[in-house]
Amino acid sequence: LNIDNKLYSLNDLKGENGTLIIFSSNKCPFVVMWEDRYQILENICNENKIGMIYINSNHIRRDSDDSFNMMQKHASNMNYNAPYLLDENSLLANKFGAKTTPHVFLFNSKNKLIYLGAIDDNYNSLEEVTEHYVKDAIYELVNKKTITITQTKAIGCSIKRKIN
């Protein structure tokens, strides 16, 4: 379920050249610090025909910070242009093996995972980033180059999954 109250499959949101998925949340301090990169990534994805999707899998916070209503408000406040999906019961996070918010998954046009991990090497400061993991992987993908860095450690808050 997207914040526009419409249901989508991940294939519905896939771009011609692939898909960037970011497991995210509304209040995690790591998301808040990295969130200034979200708009940059949205623009890069749009320019390069890559679908971009935010997914909120924090099931046990549905009555508070990560409620559907709070997701809608947060996306509006942050000017998200990409879909922001509610992952009911953390099913997508479990299928993907997503661990943190944020946790990035970049797929090529054939749905092959080509990058997994963090957005870049400095959540504290955009100006101090020296390794732009996601941006570099996107540019390598669209220029048909080998992906130099395919995996990094995801740094963030743990996903608050449904406890069975």
Side-chain angles (χ1 to χ4, degrees), residues 62-76:
R62 291 290 177 239
D63 294 332
S64 60
D65 293 338
D66 287 309
S67 70
F68 189 67
N69 183 263
M70 292 302 289
M71 287 173 59
Q72 291 171 315
K73 288 179 182 176
H74 184 77
S76 176

Side-chain angles (χ1 to χ4, degrees), residues 35-43 78-81:
E35 215 161 17
D36 59 348
R37 277 44 68 99
Y38 283 18
Q39 290 282 309
I40 295 167
L41 292 173
E42 283 185 17
N43 292 334
M78 297 307 296
N79 296 313
Y80 285 4
N81 291 308

Side-chain angles (χ1 to χ4, degrees), residues 1 27 40 44 65 69 71 83 102 110 119 132:
L1 181 65
K27 295 290 182 183
I40 295 167
I44 291 169
D65 293 338
N69 183 263
M71 287 173 59
K110 294 180 172 66
I119 292 171
H132 298 270

Side-chain angles (χ1 to χ4, degrees), residues 31-41 78 123-127:
V31 168
V32 171
M33 288 185 276
W34 255 311
E35 215 161 17
D36 59 348
R37 277 44 68 99
Y38 283 18
Q39 290 282 309
I40 295 167
L41 292 173
M78 297 307 296
Y123 56 83
N124 285 314
S125 170
L126 175 59
E127 291 75 32

Side-chain angles (χ1 to χ4, degrees), residues 1-3 8 10 13 19-26 31 34-46 51-57 62 68 71 74-76 78-87 92 101-105 119:
L1 181 65
N2 186 33
I3 56 170
Y8 295 92
L10 296 182
L13 302 171
T19 311
L20 176 65
I21 296 173
I22 300 178
F23 285 85
S24 196
S25 63
N26 298 333
V31 168
W34 255 311
E35 215 161 17
D36 59 348
R37 277 44 68 99
Y38 283 18
Q39 290 282 309
I40 295 167
L41 292 173
E42 283 185 17
N43 292 334
I44 291 169
C45 286
N46 285 337
M52 185 167 169
I53 307 163
Y54 305 110
I55 299 175
N56 187 319
S57 298
R62 291 290 177 239
F68 189 67
M71 287 173 59
H74 184 77
S76 176
M78 297 307 296
N79 296 313
Y80 285 4
N81 291 308
Y84 189 21
L85 307 179
L86 182 141
D87 178 14
L92 289 171
T101 60
H103 200 167
V104 176
F105 294 75
I119 292 171

